Amino acid sequence: MTDVLRAPKGTFDVLPPESERFLAVRETLTAPLRRAGYGYVETPVFEETAVFSRGVGESTDVVTKEMYTFADRAGRSLTLRPELTAGLMRAFIEHRLHTAALPVKLWTVGSAFRYERPQAGRYRHFTQVDMEALGVDDPALDAEVVALGVQGFRDLGLTDFELLLTSLGDATCRPQYREQLVEYLAKLDLDEETRRRAEINPLRVLDDKRPEVQAQLEDAPVVVDHLSDSARVHYDAVRQYLTDLGVTWTEAPRLVRGLDYYTKTTFEFVHSGLGAQSAIGGGGRYDGLSAALGGPDVSGIGYAVGVDRTLLAVQAEGLDIVPSTGVQVFVVPLGPAAKRVAVRLVGRLRAAGVATDTVYGDRGLKGAMKAADRSGASHAVVIGERDLAEGVGQLRDLRTGEQTAVPVGELSERVRGTVGT
């Protein structure tokens, strides 16, 4: 007997009925983006490795420890995407979207992959909603992006989430701040790997979650205290626009996102019901990312939200987000002749927009009605041999048990009128 094949460690399957909640979260998070004029993009699930090593950053844990990288048959180095922004920016550059009217507003949703230790709410395979606004450096656009993320959570009914906000400065103030941080880190008791990381991007050390490292960083300088005049004006404007939009936030001067490309506005969404792994999404401005990938020197801002983690937040708050639209009508044929009538009826109802299902296999009335109950349908149409002889089908309200004989030729219209389509 062969071994049972299972999903790889750290991955999971999304199955009914839980998948309905998963879809509801995904659709709710993306709806504000569609309403705001963002266009859908789909990129490959794998890219040339350089897209991520240059885009995400050589010093990040994502690049140094967590990427699934492999050589294809031609010897090219390819990587399963560990996040969605870099691949979307590659598409923006390759297809010269920057020549269109700016900003270019894009969104996508899909799987990403990181080799990290599986734990509650954090897996090696996960799904993200990702959005980007490219080509314009405007604090009002930053505020729009942040507010759209907040709106998605509000539309789900979430109330226990928090927006953490800061600024990581720009090219005019980051170099001076970097010198101060490097000088501070040089005095600390750090292991060799951490010191190497600090040489590439000292900001990465601030993101180190180990208690022994964090204990040494209490007095470390933070970027927001060393902003240039232009970066300060930008950050002040972002906060004013967020206030105008009715968005509240918590200042988080030590916030450092896990990717190297962030500048200026940087933010994270956290939820109090998820324990230590509280982040459900985040993002920021990345004005140097396009140039780092060989494209034009244009600005950009965006965010990614974890669908899986947001679903955990929904569950933590006990919210019922299962959409009411499932199967509306279940057709039960009894006998070969009735099955032909049922098949035609199911086809007509589906074409008319009625969510309809039927029973397959040779089941009796009892088994078929159990299937109808499990489907969640509000109504059933039962067609037996005696009914056909009389030219009718039985329309049954599964909630009340009330049943009405309806001429076969009128079943489609009567059902549509009954379920309100």
Side-chain angles (χ1 to χ4, degrees), residues 155-333:
D155 290 348
L156 283 167
L158 292 172
T159 58
D160 296 339
F161 70 93
E162 183 180 15
L163 167 63
L164 306 180
L165 185 71
T166 193
S167 173
L168 292 182
D170 57 20
T172 62
C173 57
R174 282 277 280 275
Q176 291 86 349
Y177 168 73
R178 188 182 191 279
E179 290 180 8
Q180 294 185 36
L181 182 59
V182 168
E183 182 179 344
Y184 180 89
L185 295 176
K187 302 173 184 177
L188 305 185
D189 181 19
L190 303 175
D191 59 84
E192 286 303 313
E193 181 182 351
T194 304
R195 290 203 177 280
R196 284 195 299 271
R197 181 184 301 173
E199 291 175 3
I200 302 173
N201 184 354
L203 273 173
R204 302 294 328 124
V205 181
L206 299 181
D207 197 38
D208 197 311
K209 300 298 190 295
R210 291 174 295 177
E212 63 271 23
V213 176
Q214 283 298 316
Q216 301 182 69
L217 296 173
E218 289 185 3
D219 298 322
V222 292
V223 184
V224 75
D225 292 336
H226 299 81
L227 296 180
S228 65
D229 290 342
S230 60
R232 173 65 63 186
V233 168
H234 185 279
Y235 190 41
D236 288 344
V238 170
R239 290 181 289 187
Q240 182 59 64
Y241 286 125
L242 286 175
T243 299
D244 295 339
L245 289 167
V247 174
T248 59
W249 68 91
T250 298
E251 292 287 341
R254 296 187 179 277
L255 175 63
V256 179
R257 298 284 299 155
L259 310 175
D260 277 358
Y261 48 59
Y262 288 111
T263 59
K264 294 183 182 175
T265 306
T266 305
F267 57 95
E268 189 165 88
F269 302 110
V270 296
H271 192 276
S272 61
L274 300 187
Q277 299 290 342
S278 61
I280 53 178
R285 180 162 284 282
Y286 42 83
D287 291 346
L289 180 57
S290 177
L293 291 175
D297 188 10
V298 298
S299 60
I301 182 168
Y303 67 70
V305 171
V307 176
D308 327 284
R309 297 192 58 73
T310 303
L311 179 55
L312 290 177
V314 167
Q315 293 169 339
E317 293 196 30
L319 300 174
D320 181 11
I321 60 166
V322 178
S324 58
T325 55
V327 173
Q328 297 168 281
V329 178
F330 199 92
V331 180
V332 177

